[in-house]
Amino acid sequence: MAIFMIERQFADRLDLQPDDARELREINDDEHVRWLYSFLSADRRRTFCLYEADSAEAILRAAERAGVPADVIVEVTHTLTPDGASHDIRESVG
């Protein structure tokens, strides 16, 4: 599976409850995508989420079903560390 970074912009402050997360997980399971984790902006209106999926289209389908935005979806292939090293994340996901 590939790794994707998704930027989401919400009209209102995001307040995800356990039931909401469970519903998202069920939809993601149906679409064969896995939410790894998210970073939230200070105002909780923007998130940057890391996902595993076969394609960006699968992420879009899951977002549409869940009624959440997926404004920007970028496949990521490498990480960079402060020492300047680059790592191919596809090798670790494999």
Side-chain angles (χ1 to χ4, degrees), residues 54-65:
D54 288 329
S55 67
E57 292 78 15
I59 293 168
L60 279 173
R61 284 192 306 269
E64 288 173 4
R65 286 183 57 195

Side-chain angles (χ1 to χ4, degrees), residues 12-39:
D12 296 314
R13 177 184 163 98
L14 180 63
D15 186 25
L16 189 68
Q17 299 298 312
D19 286 341
D20 301 325
R22 187 174 26 262
E23 182 179 341
L24 288 171
R25 203 168 35 253
E26 290 171 4
I27 291 169
N28 288 343
D29 288 348
D30 286 346
E31 297 295 340
H32 306 287
V33 303
R34 190 170 77 133
W35 175 22
L36 301 174
Y37 55 88
S38 296
F39 298 95

Side-chain angles (χ1 to χ4, degrees), residues 1-8 32-39 48-60 70 72-78 89-90 93:
M1 282 208 202
I3 301 290
F4 295 88
M5 180 69 73
I6 298 96
E7 180 179 350
R8 303 179 192 277
H32 306 287
V33 303
R34 190 170 77 133
W35 175 22
L36 301 174
Y37 55 88
S38 296
F39 298 95
F48 300 89
C49 308
L50 200 61
Y51 271 72
E52 251 181 2
D54 288 329
S55 67
E57 292 78 15
I59 293 168
L60 279 173
V72 178
I73 301 174
V74 177
E75 183 175 359
V76 292
T77 58
H78 289 78
I89 60 175
R90 296 169 296 186
V93 177

